[in-house]
Amino acid sequence: MDWTMHITDLKLAHVIFATSYSFSHLDLDTHAQFRHRRYLISIEFPDLTLVKNFFDDVMARPEFESVPLSPAVIDNIIKHVGGQEQDLDRLLTGLRRGDAYVPILREMITDSIAYIETFMDKVLKEKSDDKIKAFEKWLRMWDMMELLQKEKRVNKRKLIVNVFNEHADELEPMLAANLISMTNEIFPEGNSKKSDSISSLLHQSLDSVAITAGSPKLFTAMGLLIKDPTMLKQVEQMRESIAKKKEKEKEKELLEKKKIATEDLEKLRAHLEKMIDKKTDFIDLFGEEGYSLRKAEYIYREEVLRKDLLGMYVELEKIRNGASPPSEVPSEKK
């Protein structure tokens, strides 16, 4: 990196790093001085029209004369394979051997499903000491896949805010595994600002980074996974486990608050009874008005505590069995 900056600062040469979009942001840009100097150009995957033209050229070659593919079949292939060179090579090699395109695609997508499932299994194993946290991390990935299926490309900031929140670092392993990728995307503005205004340029700059599936076949695999009945049942079970854990934590918190409030109420009642029993002494000390004000204050505080306790009993009953709440706070004797 130092050598790169040295020769470019001296205007001796231009240096070009050909990397993935993810690598440029997660690795190269960690060098502050490099980030300050570099100019980033994003080269997208080939346009589907270009891939279709490529297929037309390939199918015209002599070795593919015995593999007639209709335009509809080619469109279907492109939809699932896209312009990934490695995937295209795998497909064309199979077609050249005489294999039907459907089994080839099925095998590629099956491999992608297995790859995603292996990654998700690792998520559960790496936090095996805390099952609930593992479930929450797994479900964040699941929610991301659902959002990608819905929108195909999701603004990175939107994905972090709506899915990952303070767990944005969980994107990095998925980027490193090529399950997802970063891409440039200009999202439409929701206002009528002039396109050349400073605020508009800032808006476009912030919205230019999007997250998408690592490849078309991974996108297809994600779509199949989120509709799979077995996976949906697993998701439901995980969400139920998380909900039960939260209910237990809430119950524990309420029991602690109830204990403190009950002790405070008993102390308050004891003090109020003492004031009434020793009314003459209190009047001598504070006067009739002072005594009445203090007595009214203690009665008010007692009523507030009773209402708080009743609310706690209501919440506890809902958590435990959904029974009808009591109309009065049950008396508790030590």
Side-chain angles (χ1 to χ4, degrees), residues 173-308:
M174 289 186 280
L175 287 165
N178 291 319
L179 284 173
I180 57 175
S181 62
M182 289 183 181
T183 183
N184 273 0
E185 178 84 345
I186 300 298
F187 292 81
E189 294 190 56
N191 50 47
S192 58
K193 295 176 183 176
K194 293 182 179 179
S195 60
D196 59 348
S197 68
I198 295 298
S199 59
S200 175
L201 292 174
L202 177 61
H203 175 83
Q204 291 184 7
S205 175
L206 289 172
D207 275 357
S208 65
V209 180
I211 299 292
T212 187
S215 68
K217 65 178 183 180
L218 283 169
F219 180 80
T220 299
M222 289 178 185
L224 292 171
L225 275 174
I226 64 173
K227 295 175 184 176
D228 180 70
T230 304
M231 294 294 285
L232 289 170
K233 185 176 181 181
Q234 185 176 359
V235 169
E236 183 182 357
Q237 290 172 344
M238 286 185 181
R239 295 198 193 280
E240 286 178 358
S241 296
I242 292 171
K244 287 179 181 177
K245 174 72 179 301
K246 288 182 177 178
E247 284 185 350
K248 286 182 180 178
E249 290 175 349
K250 187 175 181 181
E251 181 182 11
K252 183 179 178 182
E253 181 183 352
L254 282 170
L255 286 171
E256 184 62 29
K257 286 183 177 179
K258 184 172 77 73
K259 179 184 176 183
I260 295 171
T262 301
E263 290 173 354
D264 289 344
L265 182 60
E266 289 176 355
K267 290 176 184 177
L268 197 61
R269 282 173 174 170
H271 198 78
L272 187 57
E273 289 173 1
K274 184 179 178 181
M275 280 187 67
I276 296 171
D277 291 341
K278 304 287 184 178
K279 178 178 178 181
T280 304
D281 295 339
F282 272 91
I283 291 175
D284 290 341
L285 184 62
F286 299 108
E288 186 73 39
E289 185 178 357
Y291 170 79
S292 299
L293 288 173
R294 279 167 174 75
K295 181 181 176 183
E297 180 187 352
Y298 281 121
I299 292 173
Y300 171 76
R301 287 168 58 187
E302 180 187 16
E303 185 61 27
V304 170
L305 279 171
R306 286 175 59 81
K307 287 181 179 179
D308 288 345

Side-chain angles (χ1 to χ4, degrees), residues 142-157:
W142 179 269
D143 292 341
M144 178 199 71
M145 293 196 300
E146 286 188 326
L147 190 56
L148 288 177
Q149 282 298 306
K150 182 180 178 181
E151 301 186 17
K152 195 167 184 178
R153 295 186 179 196
V154 183
N155 176 277
K156 183 183 176 184
R157 290 180 299 134

